[in-house]
Amino acid sequence: MPAQRRNTAHEVFLQFHRHRAQSLKDLKEDDGADEKKKTIPSPTQPFEMFHTVMKTGVIYASSRAQKHGFTMEDPEWANMGQGAPETGPLPGAPSRDFHMNIQDAELEYAPTAGITELREKVANYYNELYRKGKESKYSYENICVVPGGRAGLTRIMAALGSVQVGYFTPDYTAYQQALGLFMRITPSPLLHRNMHEAIMSSEDFRFEAGGRGLGAMLLSNPSNPTGQSLEGEELENYVKIARELGTALLMDEFYSHYYYDGKAVDPEDGGVDDETNWPKTVSSATYVEDVNTDPVIIVNGLTKNWRCPGFRVCWIVAPKTICEMLASAGSFLDGGANAPLQKLALPLMDMDFIRRDTWALQRHFKKKRDFLLRELSALGITVQWTPTATFYIWADLSGLPHPLNDCLVFLEECVKHKVICVPGVFFDINPRDIRNIRTSKCLSFVRFSYGPHMENLEKGMQQIRKMIDYWKCHSESPGKYDEEESFGD
């Protein structure tokens, strides 16, 4: 990061991720010393037998908020940084019965691949929605139930051999740790030829994957944080390229129900309310030719699409042989998903429930998306790519007055006003620091989540407006921001 862009907000960021020996206050007290005598302490760590573990974007933002009194229970806070949807009842959604009576047998460990009943339900979900009319169908042996999406990604990384794994930026912040965890894996960033395109064309993907000899490609679809979607012919081409090149396509499809541009008519607007009228969802499973030979691995679960993040019940869809490897990896990594909650999840996988619940979800979250887009535009915060999916907005701060056009400064100011968002630099993933980054291309971006309740979003926008209005009258040149002297103290 160049010296002219360094400021107190950046020093806080580095303190979290480099474990500096002295506090920022100690450094400030040395401001009167001779410049030649000033030194910045070298990074140290109290337990040298451990390595430094970076915080993901949401955890970093939450940690900064906690310094200003944030708790999950405090209604005064607007948490637009959260990576989870609101979990309560939605208007028009089918009811969910979460009462349970745990049998003695369910206190035992579940199989590391999950209970058979749930695996069968998940396989049926993919066959019914994405594989009608196809000869090759998924069975329970193509499903591996895992205790959360990140646990699923970790199992996949543990099972991969000595290969290059491609990835895009920006993309989901946890990929940085997942791609850097196992030394057999060599992370390989794929760069867009056209930076104005949110999604890499299949033609460019073939060039990049083939030229690099990728063993695997990891991506979120729809994309976290941009809300853009790879679908239709382009998604079909990606699957075809993976098949032809022998590249495992690792598809993170956790937001595959959150689409807002479908052509089907909502039953509330006069559409037919039966199994013939489904809201738009997208999965690479549609374009798999043979479920046991095509190298397509899908990660999904109850966390986002079913709005049950606390269940920690998710799944991987893959060829049978790969599922066997993933079950073995689970035996030494995580031990498997919660047995009683797998049982409780079974009614959630009924197809009519999914159809009605997804209609309600899309209707509800589209209203929140549209509200946030209007509010951000009025504040001078631009959005290059209107999200067609997910519940995130990738917002560009470059039009705001200094120092708010820096995502790390923006967060520091937000938390003083009881608002949380995630700085864009966390999505510029760089596993093992393989890229030499002087200035992140995501430094002027933040991710806003419209996962929370509408009241939360309204409160957050009011506070951000006050913050921006202040800085319009007190603009500073880049690099001069002092967190301790800023508005809100």
Side-chain angles (χ1 to χ4, degrees):
M1 204 174 284
Q4 69 266 25
R5 296 309 303 271
R6 287 280 285 275
N7 53 46
T8 307
H10 290 194
E11 293 291 348
V12 171
F13 171 78
L14 292 173
Q15 184 186 35
F16 267 83
H17 296 112
R18 297 291 182 262
H19 292 260
R20 295 194 171 222
Q22 286 183 267
S23 68
L24 295 175
K25 181 178 179 182
D26 292 336
L27 293 178
K28 287 178 179 296
E29 289 175 351
D30 193 40
D31 280 350
D34 190 294
E35 287 292 328
K36 294 181 180 179
K37 295 180 181 179
K38 285 186 183 180
T39 59
I40 293 180
S42 59
T44 61
Q45 188 162 307
F47 297 99
E48 295 180 358
M49 69 291 291
F50 288 88
H51 75 97
T52 299
V53 180
M54 290 184 65
K55 289 179 169 61
T56 60
V58 172
I59 301 303
Y60 176 80
S62 298
S63 297
R64 298 305 301 146
Q66 287 164 5
K67 296 290 185 182
H68 293 268
F70 168 69
T71 65
M72 294 294 291
E73 297 77 22
D74 190 343
E76 295 300 313
W77 279 82
N79 185 1
M80 293 190 290
Q82 71 180 49
E86 56 179 286
T87 56
L90 296 182
S95 62
R96 302 183 292 181
D97 183 4
F98 290 145
H99 294 89
M100 63 189 305
N101 180 23
I102 302 176
Q103 304 298 318
D104 288 345
E106 293 170 9
L107 298 177
E108 301 285 350
Y109 287 119
T112 55
I115 63 172
T116 301
E117 302 99 304
L118 181 57
R119 296 168 71 190
E120 289 175 337
K121 286 267 193 178
V122 173
N124 180 67
Y125 161 77
Y126 283 93
N127 291 333
E128 286 292 315
L129 270 186
Y130 308 114
R131 303 202 59 75
K132 279 190 174 178
K134 300 182 186 295
E135 183 176 344
S136 180
K137 303 281 190 181
Y138 290 113
S139 75
Y140 79 93
E141 293 178 302
N142 296 107
I143 310 300
C144 184
V145 179
V146 292
R150 281 160 286 195
L153 289 173
T154 303
R155 286 199 195 188
I156 292 169
M157 296 302 157
L160 284 172
S162 298
V163 295
Q164 287 190 77
V165 180
Y167 66 92
F168 296 125
T169 63
D171 213 329
Y172 177 39
T173 64
Y175 293 170
Q176 173 146 323
Q177 286 76 16
L179 288 167
L181 191 58
F182 298 98
M183 298 308 292
R184 291 191 307 274
I185 292 171
T186 302
S188 183
L190 274 62
L191 303 179
H192 292 250
R193 294 183 186 183
N194 184 354
M195 291 304 297
H196 297 291
E197 291 180 350
I199 302 292
M200 179 179 284
S201 70
S202 57
E203 179 183 359
D204 285 353
F205 175 62
R206 179 184 289 278
F207 175 82
E208 291 278 353
R212 295 167 186 266
L214 293 183
M217 179 69 202
L218 173 63
L219 67 155
S220 59
N221 189 54
S223 171
N224 171 8
T226 66
Q228 302 304 292
S229 175
L230 179 65
E231 54 189 81
E233 185 179 357
E234 282 294 274
L235 179 55
E236 182 176 13
N237 287 341
Y238 265 64
V239 173
K240 180 180 179 181
I241 290 164
R243 184 187 307 120
E244 292 174 353
L245 297 180
T247 299
L249 199 56
L250 314 178
M251 301 295 292
D252 176 347
E253 296 185 351
F254 267 88
Y255 301 90
S256 57
H257 289 185
Y258 291 85
Y259 278 87
Y260 312 113
D261 61 346
K263 292 183 170 39
V265 179
D266 188 330
E268 283 208 350
D269 296 327
V272 178
D273 189 14
D274 62 25
E275 69 279 358
T276 65
N277 186 29
W278 274 82
K280 177 180 177 179
T281 64
V282 173
S283 176
S284 50
T286 303
Y287 305 108
V288 169
E289 288 187 352
D290 189 312
V291 300
N292 284 314
T293 60
D294 281 9
V296 175
I297 294 92
I298 299 167
V299 189
N300 197 349
L302 301 183
T303 305
K304 305 297 196 303
N305 290 327
W306 281 260
R307 299 183 303 107
C308 296
F311 270 47
R312 312 312 295 146
V313 173
C314 299
W315 55 78
I316 303 169
V317 185
K320 175 184 174 182
T321 302
I322 294 177
C323 278
E324 291 171 354
M325 298 178 193
L326 297 173
S328 295
S331 68
F332 66 83
L333 283 172
D334 53 62
N338 182 296
L341 290 179
Q342 289 186 62
K343 286 279 191 181
L344 193 60
L346 295 176
L348 302 180
M349 297 306 300
D350 290 341
M351 296 305 293
D352 189 60
F353 172 90
I354 295 171
R355 180 186 62 81
R356 292 187 293 136
D357 190 70
T358 305
W359 272 122
L361 178 149
Q362 293 185 2
R363 189 184 310 131
H364 185 73
F365 278 77
K366 185 177 184 297
K367 291 177 183 177
K368 294 194 291 181
R369 181 202 67 167
D370 293 348
F371 165 79
L372 206 53
L373 286 171
R374 288 193 303 270
E375 291 294 309
L376 291 173
S377 177
L379 294 176
I381 298 175
T382 59
V383 179
Q384 182 178 0
W385 302 305
T386 299
T388 59
T390 72
F391 47 79
Y392 302 122
I393 293 176
W394 186 237
D396 186 355
L397 308 175
S398 58
L400 295 184
H402 299 303
L404 294 184
N405 55 1
D406 179 310
C407 66
L408 293 169
V409 175
F410 190 86
L411 172 65
E412 293 300 322
E413 288 300 296
C414 278
V415 295
K416 294 172 186 176
H417 292 77
K418 298 188 176 183
V419 178
I420 306 175
C421 59
V422 182
V425 292
F426 286 94
F427 300 91
D428 194 5
I429 55 178
N430 190 23
R432 296 195 210 125
D433 294 327
I434 59 172
R435 293 184 293 143
N436 180 23
I437 303 177
R438 290 286 290 168
T439 302
S440 170
K441 66 179 182 180
C442 300
L443 192 60
S444 65
F445 289 86
V446 296
R447 188 194 74 177
F448 289 107
S449 168
Y450 49 98
H453 294 278
M454 179 66 89
E455 306 82 62
N456 192 297
L457 305 181
E458 292 170 343
K459 188 179 304 174
M461 287 295 100
Q462 291 171 2
Q463 292 299 90
I464 290 175
R465 181 180 295 278
K466 292 178 184 177
M467 179 182 77
I468 291 175
D469 286 345
Y470 172 86
W471 281 107
K472 284 180 178 177
C473 301
H474 299 82
S475 180
E476 295 182 0
S477 58
K480 298 296 185 181
Y481 172 75
D482 186 331
E483 183 257 0
E484 291 191 358
E485 298 175 359
S486 61
F487 177 54
D489 287 349

